[in-house]
Amino acid sequence: DDHPPFLIRKKDGSYLYATVDLAAAKNRIVDDEHDWVVYITDSGQRLHFQQLFAAIESAGWLIDTPKNGRGDCTREILKCKLEHVGHGVVRGIHGKKLSSRRGGSSFANLLSNAEKTADTLMARQNHNIHPSPRVSSIEEEALRIPEVIGMSAIRYFDLNAGRRSYILDYSGMLNFKGNTSVYLQYTYTRFHSVCTTITSKVQLKKLSAGQEGGASSSFNAYERQVALSLSRFHDTIETTANSLSPNLLCEQLFVLAQKANMFYEHCRVDGAKEEHSRLMLCEAVVNALSCGMRLLGINRLEKM
């Protein structure tokens, strides 16, 4: 075997990474009784985790052999599943691998840079910022939004990369028209506003007229595209979880946002004869985006 040995303790008694990983694994499997443990590192650690999993299996921590009433062992039961998700490396704009160990970067620096870039880009976009019910003033909201957008942008950019290496590009991750968290946030805000506005009007109509709004018996092309995208949402979440690939959910949300915005541009909702059915479609878009963004750790903004 050409692989290096899996050292657990040196001759002088000092411990290594393998020692700590084995102790942590035993705690998770034997003491805490987790049934699924996922390790997420860059792909360069693949051999280490192959050896770690082999050592854990040899120690017998993964298998349980319960006994029947007569004291005989029944079939073996796998107590815990171990998986290693190896992803690519993160590089700076000059192509060099980012390394907090060498002092070249830190998570705090990444967040700070993303927040500053978000603030600059939003000023350039000349977006109007309105206070939400949870914030007392426009000034507080203006300070909060770049932080929320910047943090979400980094998280989404990383998850959307899947297991590929990528270059940390702040302008790319904060593109208002690309496959980014800010595009999802903008779409969510747009449709949340539509639903809130029309729902308030519908409630007033019900009180005065005592009747439901009109409904459409069939979808047009834009409505159908949104509906089809929504129909794939549940399956995408299941596939994402089973394959440990959040980039699949990112892609599905991006496609849904694209279809929803096309629908928004071409289909009137407020006051249309199809208002009721289109409002239901808008509410479904809001619910799907809300669920998907929450699963990815992307903050939602009710006003933007």
Side-chain angles (χ1 to χ4, degrees):
D1 193 343
D2 295 331
H3 295 319
F6 190 66
L7 297 177
I8 298 175
R9 188 168 63 174
K10 290 185 177 181
K11 290 181 179 180
D12 61 5
S14 59
Y15 296 116
L16 303 162
Y17 283 126
T19 321
V20 177
D21 284 345
L22 279 171
K26 183 178 181 181
N27 178 261
R28 291 164 180 150
I29 300 168
V30 179
D31 299 332
D32 293 341
E33 298 183 343
H34 293 313
D35 54 12
W36 192 9
V37 179
V38 181
Y39 295 85
I40 303 174
T41 69
D42 72 71
S43 55
Q45 301 294 317
R46 182 178 291 109
L47 175 60
H48 170 78
F49 285 100
Q50 288 176 346
Q51 293 177 316
L52 174 66
F53 294 168
I56 293 171
E57 186 176 0
S58 298
W61 299 338
L62 296 177
I63 302 299
D64 190 19
T65 52
K67 295 182 179 181
N68 57 28
R70 299 186 299 275
D72 298 324
C73 293
T74 60
R75 63 184 181 85
E76 294 182 342
I77 298 175
L78 181 66
K79 294 194 297 184
C80 180
K81 180 171 66 171
L82 301 176
E83 288 196 59
H84 172 233
V85 176
H87 56 74
V89 298
V90 182
R91 303 184 184 277
I93 56 175
H94 300 297
K96 292 184 178 180
K97 179 181 176 181
L98 296 182
S99 174
S100 58
R101 181 184 298 179
R102 292 195 293 266
S105 64
S106 69
F107 188 60
N109 288 338
L110 292 179
L111 292 179
S112 178
N113 291 335
E115 181 179 341
K116 291 176 182 176
T117 306
D119 197 16
T120 301
L121 289 176
M122 288 191 68
R124 190 180 305 162
Q125 292 280 343
N126 195 28
H127 281 117
N128 294 318
I129 301 201
H130 306 281
S132 68
R134 297 185 300 274
V135 183
S136 60
S137 69
I138 293 177
E139 288 76 15
E140 287 184 40
E141 188 81 328
L143 291 173
R144 170 180 173 267
I145 287 182
E147 178 184 355
V148 170
I149 289 179
M151 185 177 296
S152 296
I154 289 180
R155 183 175 290 127
Y156 185 87
F157 200 72
D158 183 71
L159 294 175
N160 190 43
R163 304 187 185 184
R164 299 177 286 106
S165 298
Y166 64 86
I167 294 176
L168 195 65
D169 175 19
Y170 292 110
S171 60
M173 71 171 64
L174 290 163
N175 187 340
F176 279 82
K177 297 182 180 179
N179 187 359
T180 62
S181 62
V182 70
Y183 182 68
L184 299 183
Q185 289 170 320
Y186 177 73
T187 306
Y188 173 85
T189 302
R190 165 181 269 184
F191 278 81
H192 181 272
S193 177
V194 170
C195 292
T196 302
T197 301
I198 298 179
T199 300
S200 299
K201 291 181 179 180
V202 169
Q203 294 300 328
L204 291 174
K205 287 180 182 178
K206 286 182 179 179
L207 289 174
S208 61
Q211 60 185 7
E212 291 281 350
S216 174
S217 60
S218 61
F219 281 159
N220 64 26
Y222 297 106
E223 294 169 309
R224 189 177 300 109
Q225 287 298 313
V226 175
L228 287 173
S229 186
L230 286 167
S231 70
R232 302 185 184 103
F233 184 68
H234 182 272
D235 289 341
T236 300
I237 291 179
E238 185 175 359
T239 303
T240 296
N242 292 335
S243 63
L244 299 175
S245 302
N247 57 298
L248 299 179
L249 178 55
C250 292
E251 183 62 30
Q252 176 61 31
L253 290 175
F254 176 56
V255 171
L256 172 60
Q258 286 183 309
K259 303 300 183 186
N261 283 310
M262 288 290 289
F263 159 78
Y264 180 91
E265 297 293 338
H266 292 86
C267 300
R268 181 182 175 185
V269 180
D270 189 9
K273 65 176 182 179
E274 306 91 351
E275 180 182 278
H276 182 65
S277 60
R278 288 181 177 176
L279 176 60
M280 293 177 65
L281 201 59
C282 290
E283 289 176 342
V285 169
V286 169
N287 290 336
L289 288 175
S290 177
C291 176
M293 292 166 69
R294 185 172 65 251
L295 290 173
L296 294 172
I298 306 304
N299 297 98
R300 292 158 294 164
L301 293 168
E302 294 180 2
K303 304 247 183 183
M304 186 173 171

